[in-house]
Amino acid sequence: MIDLHHPLNVCRASAGTGKTYTLAAYYVGLLLSGEDYRSILAVTFTNKATAEMSERIIGYLYGISQES
């Protein structure tokens, strides 16, 4: 479980376990809790994972915007 109020969280796990999904959901959770996007740093170790995380975040935010 990720604590949204802790200043630093590290997510380590094997390939295919949902790290990118978790990071993207965590990022959006921080945004929805009022955190300024400029104060959030999400790090992955491959360009592929970075692109996937970015696409997920944009998709989540788009989905949220369509619910209104």
Side-chain angles (χ1 to χ4, degrees):
M1 183 59 59
I2 293 179
D3 179 3
L4 291 176
H5 303 291
H6 193 276
L8 175 66
N9 284 287
V10 177
C11 179
R12 289 190 311 191
S14 301
T17 58
K19 292 180 300 297
T20 303
Y21 170 86
T22 301
L23 282 170
Y26 180 56
Y27 185 94
V28 172
L30 287 170
L31 292 177
L32 294 176
S33 72
E35 193 69 41
D36 185 345
Y37 73 94
R38 293 171 291 190
S39 70
I40 304 170
L41 175 65
V43 178
T44 65
F45 291 99
T46 67
N47 290 334
K48 182 180 176 184
T50 300
E52 183 182 336
M53 185 169 53
S54 178
E55 289 173 13
R56 283 183 188 270
I57 291 168
I58 291 167
Y60 292 156
L61 294 174
Y62 178 77
I64 291 167
S65 75
Q66 296 303 301
E67 292 177 7
S68 301

